[in-house]
Amino acid sequence: MVEQLRQADVTQGLSQARLQTLSAVARVRSLRGGEYLFLLGDPAHYLSVVVKGQVDLCFPMDFGGTVKDIAVESAGPGRTVGWSALVKPYRFTLSARATEAADVLAFGRQDLFRLFDADPELGRALSAAVAEIVGARLSMFQALWARELRRALETDRQRLSAG
């Protein structure tokens, strides 16, 4: 488990001892293809690292009464999902669904907070890594929003010039 953690985006640069400390509180969770790890709005009790397979982060959208998951990001081995477990109000902001059989290492929020109290440097390092993940996601959503805004403005411009 320590070797799998060494490859994770959220644990880069941690010492062997800190990786062992983290692995002691990790739980392996296996998912079938199509199974949800969590749903948007659910209480976020676990931060997870994908160790096998792929998990898509999805935003559920209503299309005329039919809700479809729109994948906004794919997470393969080494990628962290569920950062909401460390950020108030501790609710997931997207859904996560395995696109194929997948295994994740799940870290309970309370276990992590106990480790952070005992080793503030570990807490700082993981918090900084989570902030980087959140920042990257925010940048991606800003780009998507800007693209959609441009499309809407172009559609309005065309409608006005045709009218």
Side-chain angles (χ1 to χ4, degrees), residues 16-163:
Q16 179 77 10
R18 286 193 170 114
L19 292 172
Q20 287 175 328
T21 298
L22 280 172
S23 70
V25 299
R27 295 177 186 93
V28 177
R29 177 156 178 212
S30 295
L31 303 166
R32 296 179 309 279
E35 185 177 356
Y36 285 91
L37 179 60
F38 52 80
L39 296 171
L40 179 140
D42 280 353
H45 298 294
Y46 293 92
L47 173 81
S48 298
V49 173
V50 178
V51 293
K52 182 182 118 193
Q54 180 174 303
V55 174
D56 279 355
L57 295 168
C58 306
F59 189 79
M61 294 191 68
D62 188 322
F63 291 93
T66 302
V67 176
K68 294 184 180 183
D69 281 333
I70 305 301
V72 296
E73 188 176 344
S74 292
R79 299 284 306 279
T80 301
V81 297
W83 55 262
S84 299
L86 299 182
V87 180
K88 286 183 180 181
Y90 309 120
R91 295 234 173 242
F92 291 117
T93 58
L94 294 170
S95 295
R97 180 175 34 89
T99 58
E100 58 190 54
D103 290 335
V104 300
L105 296 178
F107 301 88
R109 176 177 61 242
Q110 296 307 323
D111 291 332
L112 288 174
F113 285 170
R114 276 191 288 279
L115 292 179
F116 297 171
D117 286 343
D119 183 354
E121 179 56 28
L122 174 63
R124 188 211 59 76
L126 258 65
S127 296
V130 165
E132 196 172 314
I133 292 165
V134 172
R137 177 101 31 82
L138 177 60
S139 293
M140 180 193 61
F141 273 111
Q142 285 176 321
L144 290 170
W145 181 77
R147 185 182 71 196
E148 290 306 310
L149 184 58
R150 270 191 237 105
R151 254 191 231 162
L153 291 172
E154 182 60 26
T155 299
D156 286 348
R157 188 188 63 74
Q158 289 173 356
R159 195 173 323 140
L160 287 173
S161 62

